[in-house]
Amino acid sequence: MDDAHRSGCPINLTLEVVGDKWSLLVIRDIIFGNRRHFRELLTHSEERISSNILADRLKTLLDQGILTRADDPTHKQKAIYSLTEKGIELLPVLAQMAVWGLKYLPVSEELGIRAQLLDKGGPELWAEFMDELRASHLGQPRRLPPHPDGSVGERLQRAYRAVLARRAAR
């Protein structure tokens, strides 16, 4: 066992990397919100992450190989954050957490709709979403054929907007 870690337990070691609230929420916002710039992550966080915490968590996620950072070719002072394969493979973990939260916690209708769809679609939908993430974050060609209803990200966003529209109409 490496002396830098408390134990060799896989759950403990995973928690040492992504076990704080903010790291998982940053990953969530990159995966489900397609937020790739610091400013987007900062200003669109439902939980209102502070800039110093966001900067710290991005640094940790970069150091752990979950994210990469590249200069944005459209703006010299911006960077684009992308998921690595390690980051993309956290999608099923987040999906399971969302499904568990939907089952046991007072989740709002609009924020729970994605969890419902992830639960209903199961591992097949997660694999499709991971394929899309590999294409957009790693530049890999899609292995799965496009879905007739659009990408998983688009379908999740449409469902979210439909709930918001329904609530506004009430």
Side-chain angles (χ1 to χ4, degrees), residues 20-146:
D20 70 278
K21 166 185 171 176
W22 294 114
S23 292
L24 286 174
L25 294 178
V26 168
I27 295 165
R28 174 204 65 188
D29 288 350
I30 292 172
I31 290 176
F32 296 104
N34 194 32
R35 297 179 190 138
R36 309 276 300 270
H37 296 96
F38 185 91
R39 179 74 42 205
E40 291 172 324
L41 291 162
L42 181 67
T43 60
H44 294 29
S45 169
E46 300 258 342
E47 295 78 15
R48 297 187 182 151
I49 189 169
S50 67
S51 61
N52 62 322
I53 296 214
L54 176 58
D56 180 67
R57 293 321 182 271
L58 287 169
K59 182 183 180 322
T60 298
L61 294 169
L62 289 164
D63 291 346
Q64 291 295 328
I66 292 170
L67 296 178
T68 60
R69 181 183 187 276
D71 292 335
D72 185 338
T74 66
H75 193 286
K76 292 182 188 212
Q77 295 179 333
K78 282 187 177 183
I80 298 175
Y81 293 93
S82 297
L83 296 162
T84 63
E85 183 62 28
K86 265 171 97 170
I88 291 167
E89 288 189 17
L90 285 168
L91 174 72
V93 176
L94 292 175
Q96 288 287 13
M97 289 176 71
V99 169
W100 185 89
L102 184 65
K103 184 174 181 179
Y104 293 109
L105 301 171
V107 175
S108 68
E109 181 185 11
E110 67 273 11
L111 296 177
I113 189 64
R114 292 182 184 116
Q116 289 175 16
L117 295 174
L118 290 167
D119 186 25
K120 183 178 176 186
E124 187 175 294
L125 182 72
W126 309 343
E128 182 183 352
F129 199 6
M130 290 169 65
D131 188 52
E132 293 170 10
L133 291 169
R134 286 183 185 101
S136 63
H137 288 259
L138 303 176
Q140 295 181 358
R142 295 280 311 270
R143 294 183 320 192
L144 301 173

Side-chain angles (χ1 to χ4, degrees), residues 7-21:
S7 79
C9 168
I11 294 171
N12 173 70
L13 291 169
T14 301
L15 288 173
E16 286 184 16
V17 174
V18 294
D20 70 278
K21 166 185 171 176

